[in-house]
Amino acid sequence: MRSSPPRVAVVGYPNVGKSSLVNRLTGSREAVVHERPGVTRDRNEVVGEWNGRRFALVDTGGVDFADQDPLAEAIRAQARAGLVDAAAVVLVVDARAGVSPGDEDLARLLRAAERPVLVAANKCDTAADLPLAAEFHRLGLGDPLAVSAAQGLGTGDLLDRLSQLLPAVAGAEPDLGVRLAIIGRPNVGKSSLVNRFLGEERVIVSERAGTTRDAIDLPLSFDGRDLVLIDTAGLRRAAKVAESIEYYTALRSRRAAQRAEVALVVCDATDGVTAQDLRIAELAMRSGCATALVLNKWDLVGPDFDLDHQRARVQRKLRLRPRVLTTSAKTGRQVARLLQEGVALADRAAARIPTPELNRFLSEAVQARQPPARRGQRLKLLYIAQIGERPPRFAIQVNARSRVTRDYAYYLENRLRARYGMDGIPLVIDFVARGARAGRRKGQGAGANPRAAAR
C-alpha cells in the first residue's frame, strides 16, 4: 500500500490567491475561491500529481498577524498546524501589491520553521508583470517565481521546482477506507463533532454560522479501520442561499455526499428534526450514501423531549428509514457509537447476499403477499440475484414488467430492508422481463425510480 503523499503547505496573507493557485496546480475546483478575503479558514488538502510524483497541497486560511479577531487567531493556529507535518511550503504573495508587512511577518515565521520554501509571486497575468516578482527577493527565501493562478503562467515551473523538493512515494494506490461525510444545516455542531472524532481541534469551531466553507477530508483510524471524515459547509434552504460564496460552498457539500459512502446528517437536538434536516437526508440518500440522522447537543435537551416521536416522524417522512441517533460533541456522549454505526452502514452497503438466500427470501415474500394482476394476468417473480453494491442493486426476473406496481415494488424493497438490516441504505431493484438483460437501463429499479418499475 502506498503511504500518504508528502504535504505542501500553501500559506499567505488574505486574498493573495492561495486557493486559486491550489486549484490551478491540482487541476481541480476543490478549494473555494471568492474575491472576498478570508473565505478559506480550515486546512483543506487537495491531492495533485506532476511528472509521476504525487503530493497533497494543504490550502490554509489567509494569515494576518495584525487581526485580533478570535476567528483570525483560529485561522493562524490552523496555518501553523499545517506547517508541522509539511515537507515543503509555498508562500503565495501578491506581485501587484508588492511586499507587505504581512508578507514579512510570514517570511520570519517560515525562516524559523526549517522547511524548504518556494515564494510564488501570484497575479503576474502577463509578460509585462514578470519583473514584479523580483521585489520579493528581500524576504530572504530564495528566488521568487512569477506565476498566475488565473492564466496558468509559470505554474509548470513552480511544479517542477516543487517536485524536486519532495520525496518520491511509490507503491500501489492506497485504500483510503470508509468515506464518511458529516453534513447538515449551519451551526448544528458538525465541526465540533469532527474535532471530537479526531481528538484535536482540527477544524475551526465558532458560534458564527457558516464558519466552514470547504469540504475537508480528514483521515482517521477507528477500531482497526481506516476512515476519511469529510467535514462540510452547512446547507441552507436554496431560497436562503443569497450570495455566490454560499452557492459554491453548498455545491461542494453536495459533491462531498456524492463521493462518500456514508452520511451522518447532523441535527440540532434543541430544534428536533426539521424539514431542512429531512431534505438534507434525502439529498444524501439520492447521492447513494448510506445515511443516519444524528441529534447533536443532546446535553441541552430537557426531560420533555420526545425522542420516539422524532424517530417515528423520520420513519414516516423518509422511505429509506434511516436510524436516529443522539450525541453531544461537547461532552463526548455516544461519539464512538456514531463511528461504529458509520462503519456498520458502510459494511452493509458493501455486502453481497448469496443468490440461494435471496431466492428463499423472494419465495417467502410472494407467499406473504400475492403479486398483483392486470387484465387477468398475474405478475410472476421468477428469480432474484444481487448484481451490485454501494448501493446494493438487485435484479428480479419477471414474466412482464408492465404488471409490476409501485406498491408491490415498495413492498419488496421494505421486506429486503427488514430482512437484511438495510435501513438507511439506498437500494435499487431492477425488474427484468424474462429474456432481457439486467441493468440494461439505468434507474430501472424500485429504489432508483419506482415509476420506471411500475411501467
Side-chain angles (χ1 to χ4, degrees), residues 243-295:
E243 53 179 329
S244 62
I245 186 170
E246 285 198 75
Y247 171 79
Y248 287 110
T249 55
L251 181 62
R252 281 166 172 79
S253 294
R254 293 185 175 94
R255 288 177 177 170
Q258 291 170 356
R259 59 191 174 87
E261 298 164 65
V262 178
L264 296 181
V265 179
V266 183
C267 316
D268 187 331
T270 60
D271 297 333
V273 179
T274 68
Q276 177 65 357
D277 295 330
L278 294 172
R279 279 190 285 267
I280 293 170
E282 283 278 12
L283 179 151
M285 291 183 284
R286 286 198 304 270
S287 298
C289 284
T291 302
L293 277 75
V294 177
L295 289 171

Side-chain angles (χ1 to χ4, degrees), residues 216-430:
I216 301 170
D217 290 13
L218 304 161
L220 171 68
S221 181
F222 175 76
D223 279 353
R225 298 288 294 273
D226 290 331
L227 310 179
V228 177
L229 302 179
I230 309 174
D231 186 27
T232 65
L235 288 167
R236 302 179 187 271
R237 289 182 57 188
K240 294 187 177 181
V241 178
E243 53 179 329
S244 62
I245 186 170
E246 285 198 75
Y247 171 79
Y248 287 110
T249 55
L251 181 62
R252 281 166 172 79
S253 294
R254 293 185 175 94
R255 288 177 177 170
Q258 291 170 356
R259 59 191 174 87
E261 298 164 65
V262 178
L264 296 181
V265 179
V266 183
C267 316
D268 187 331
T270 60
D271 297 333
V273 179
T274 68
Q276 177 65 357
D277 295 330
L278 294 172
R279 279 190 285 267
I280 293 170
E282 283 278 12
L283 179 151
M285 291 183 284
R286 286 198 304 270
S287 298
C289 284
T291 302
L293 277 75
V294 177
L295 289 171
N296 188 29
K297 307 184 184 180
W298 193 249
D299 55 298
L300 302 180
V301 169
D304 297 332
F305 187 89
D306 191 343
L307 181 58
D308 290 337
H309 171 74
Q310 295 293 323
R311 285 173 168 158
R313 181 167 179 261
V314 169
Q315 297 284 307
R316 186 173 66 253
K317 294 286 188 178
L318 299 176
R319 269 189 45 233
L320 273 61
R321 306 191 310 188
R323 295 187 65 189
V324 178
L325 308 172
T326 62
T327 194
S328 170
K330 182 177 180 180
T331 67
R333 179 188 185 275
Q334 300 278 45
V335 166
R337 181 187 172 205
L338 298 184
L339 293 177
Q340 291 169 352
E341 178 67 15
V343 170
L345 279 169
D347 288 344
R348 289 198 294 272
R352 291 196 71 93
I353 305 170
T355 299
E357 163 62 23
L358 282 173
N359 281 282
R360 285 193 292 272
F361 156 81
L362 187 63
S363 176
E364 293 170 9
V366 169
Q367 290 177 13
R369 179 173 171 179
Q370 193 176 44
R374 285 189 174 180
R375 297 178 183 176
Q377 301 294 316
R378 188 164 301 280
L379 171 69
K380 293 183 180 180
L381 308 179
L382 307 173
Y383 185 81
I384 183 173
Q386 185 173 353
I387 60 173
E389 60 279 319
R390 295 193 185 101
R393 185 168 192 154
F394 303 90
I396 300 179
Q397 191 177 76
V398 297
N399 59 340
R401 287 189 70 248
S402 61
R403 298 172 195 166
V404 179
T405 63
R406 177 192 294 267
D407 287 346
Y408 203 76
Y410 284 168
Y411 161 72
L412 292 173
E413 181 183 343
N414 291 335
R415 293 274 299 205
L416 270 170
R417 291 190 190 286
R419 171 69 71 88
Y420 300 109
M422 292 186 177
D423 284 352
I425 298 174
L427 303 181
V428 181
I429 303 176
D430 296 319

Side-chain angles (χ1 to χ4, degrees), residues 84-105:
V84 171
D85 56 359
V89 180
V90 175
L91 172 60
V92 185
V93 295
D94 185 337
R96 294 181 181 176
V99 177
S100 70
D103 297 331
E104 293 175 336
D105 291 338

Side-chain angles (χ1 to χ4, degrees), residues 4 68 171 207 301-302 332 336 419:
S4 299
Q68 298 306 308
E207 293 181 357
V301 169
R419 171 69 71 88

